[in-house]
């Protein structure tokens, strides 16, 4: 039996339609029905998750278009990048389906192939949400010892932390690529640089909380990886501010320092356009008009860390 999981992020419902038993896929009519149900509940954005068959995806896409609801997210294996873009998927998250489209998960992609992917994306007007740092961990390309030393893992519950460490020893996600993780990550880095240089819109995201991807801290990790890919710091910050704000422009006003926009500001000691590490040197943060100075932030972080440590003392794995 298929299941549908609804995950709420920001103000938008992201709908995951996942096939638990691929041998018994639900009829396209069920996908249509679920889109209509979500529309009637007032939701206006669907997120596609792996598992949909081609017929289910096409039924979902047509119903969403007819209902004027955007759909975003993954590219199911049975669908493929070109179909997803042709059907009007607004964003491709995690660069899903890109390397699969040119069969380059385990070999270096050519410049010709990367140019093809850029042109295909531009032709259909889609944007990408790379999540490069997280995906490096998922596919096995991250430095394991470095992950173990991340300071931010002290801020997550012990049970979650244990699960993350266990993944390093026994990867459980299908995306893991033991034989060619480094090649795949290099292709991803070259791809995101090609997409950026080609003018494909990029919207910043980290998919936190996920494997070693802690909210807040994960943004700094993602910025560093994108910068390593050759994306200019100005472009990265644009993707995390202006581009994100434009994506939700019909819901809220944020992402710019402008009249009428939500007061979300970070006060830094140095220029982040010169050094991405400057973003870690925050003197304070303005969140929706509320000012949090450095001392307040540190105190709140310490309270979170202490709570996690207290739980650790009582945590007994099953």
């Amino acid at each position: 039996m298929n299941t549908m999981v609804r995950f709420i992020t920001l103000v938008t419902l992201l709908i995951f339609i996942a096939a638990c038993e691929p041998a018994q896929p639900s009829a396209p009519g069920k996908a249509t029905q679920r889109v209509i149900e979500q529309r009637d509940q007032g939701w206006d954005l669907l997120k596609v998750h792996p598992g949909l068959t081609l017929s289910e995806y096409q039924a979902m896409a047509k119903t969403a278009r007819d209902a004027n609801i955007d759909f975003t997210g993954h590219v199911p294996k049975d669908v493929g990048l070109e179909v997803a873009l042709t059907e009007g998927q607004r964003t491709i998250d995690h660069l899903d389906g890109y390397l699969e489209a040119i069969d380059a998960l385990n070999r270096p992609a050519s410049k010709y192939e990367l140019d093809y992917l850029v042109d295909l994306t531009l032709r259909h007007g889609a944007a990408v949400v790379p999540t490069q740092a997280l995906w490096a961990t998922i596919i096995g390309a991250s430095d394991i010892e470095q992950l173990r030393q991340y300071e931010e893992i002290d801020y997550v519950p012990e049970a979650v932390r244990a699960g993350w460490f266990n993944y390093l020893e026994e990867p459980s996600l299908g995306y893991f690529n033991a034989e060619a993780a480094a090649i795949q990550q290099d292709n991803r880095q070259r791809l995101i640089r090609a997409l950026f240089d080609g003018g494909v819109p990029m919207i910043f995201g980290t998919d936190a909380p996920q494997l070693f991807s802690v909210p807040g801290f994960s943004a700094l990790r993602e910025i560093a990886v994108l910068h390593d890919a050759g994306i200019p710091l100005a472009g990265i910050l644009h993707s995390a501010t202006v581009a994100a704000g434009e994506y939700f422009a019909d819901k809220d006003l944020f992402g710019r320092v402008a009249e009428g926009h939500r007061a979300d500001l970070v006060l830094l000691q140095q220029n982040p356009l010169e050094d991405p590490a400057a973003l870690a040197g925050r003197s304070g943060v303005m969140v929706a008009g509320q000012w949090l100075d450095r001392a307040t932030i540190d105190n709140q972080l310490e309270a979170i860390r202490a709570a996690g440590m207290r739980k650790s003392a009582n945590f007994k794995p099953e």
Side-chain angles (χ1 to χ4, degrees):
M1 178 182 297
N2 288 338
T3 60
M4 175 170 291
V5 183
R6 292 178 294 175
F7 173 71
I8 301 178
T9 178
L10 298 177
V11 295
T12 310
L13 179 70
L14 304 180
I15 300 177
F16 296 77
I17 308 176
C20 291
E21 299 178 5
Q24 300 178 8
S26 64
K30 185 173 182 180
T32 296
Q33 177 186 354
R34 299 297 281 175
V35 173
I36 293 173
E37 289 174 356
Q38 297 304 319
R39 178 205 63 188
D40 291 346
Q41 291 175 12
W43 305 111
D44 54 17
L45 180 67
L46 313 179
K47 180 172 181 179
V48 180
H49 200 263
L52 286 176
T53 65
L54 176 59
S55 60
E56 289 169 340
Y57 181 94
Q58 290 176 324
M60 176 278 300
K62 182 181 185 305
T63 308
R65 290 194 304 271
D66 292 345
N68 197 30
I69 300 176
D70 288 328
F71 51 100
T72 71
H74 289 268
V75 174
K77 182 179 180 180
D78 290 348
V79 175
L81 179 66
E82 187 167 358
V83 171
L85 291 172
T86 301
E87 291 286 349
Q89 188 159 318
R90 186 175 178 184
T91 69
I92 306 297
D93 298 354
H94 323 300
L95 301 182
D96 221 20
Y98 273 89
L99 297 184
E100 292 86 345
I102 58 172
D103 192 24
L105 291 175
N106 302 303
R107 62 163 182 84
S110 69
K111 182 179 183 304
Y112 171 81
E113 290 171 321
L114 296 181
D115 288 344
Y116 159 74
L117 293 174
V118 172
D119 291 342
L120 180 65
T121 311
L122 288 172
R123 192 183 319 145
H124 294 287
V128 293
V129 185
T131 64
Q132 294 287 76
L134 171 64
W135 232 248
T137 300
I138 287 177
I139 66 176
S142 295
D143 184 314
I144 290 179
E145 292 310 311
Q146 186 179 58
L147 291 173
R148 291 181 183 277
Q149 298 303 316
Y150 275 6
E151 62 173 307
E152 57 264 36
I153 61 177
D154 284 346
Y155 300 106
V156 300
E158 176 64 22
V160 174
R161 196 180 320 155
W164 291 356
F165 286 144
N166 184 62
Y167 185 84
L168 298 180
E169 303 299 329
E170 299 179 9
S172 56
L173 295 176
Y175 297 104
F176 185 75
N177 190 349
E179 294 77 19
I183 293 174
Q184 184 176 335
Q185 183 64 8
D186 183 66
N187 281 343
R188 287 178 59 88
Q189 290 288 79
R190 292 171 54 226
L191 170 61
I192 192 59
R193 173 65 185 271
L195 291 167
F196 178 85
D197 288 347
V200 173
M202 182 175 75
I203 303 174
F204 190 90
T206 68
D207 215 30
Q210 288 279 1
L211 287 168
F212 295 91
S213 183
V214 181
F217 296 92
S218 61
L220 301 180
R221 303 291 182 187
E222 180 72 5
I223 288 170
V225 175
L226 291 175
H227 194 224
D228 286 344
I231 310 299
L233 290 172
I236 298 171
L237 296 178
H238 181 276
S239 75
T241 54
V242 176
E246 289 177 345
Y247 185 89
F248 290 107
D250 59 337
K251 309 291 187 307
D252 199 354
L253 290 177
F254 66 92
R256 297 176 184 269
V257 181
E259 183 178 355
H261 278 57
R262 200 172 66 205
D264 294 335
L265 305 166
V266 180
L267 180 61
L268 304 175
Q269 299 173 10
Q270 296 177 317
N271 186 353
L273 296 178
E274 297 176 356
D275 181 2
L279 291 165
R282 298 175 298 278
S283 296
V285 177
M286 181 80 76
V287 182
Q290 179 183 4
W291 173 248
L292 302 174
D293 59 23
R294 181 73 257 177
T296 299
I297 294 172
D298 289 342
N299 288 338
Q300 292 184 357
L301 284 174
E302 177 56 27
I304 295 172
R305 190 196 67 80
M309 294 302 101
R310 286 196 298 272
K311 290 179 181 178
S312 280
N314 298 320
F315 174 71
K316 294 180 175 59
E318 296 179 359

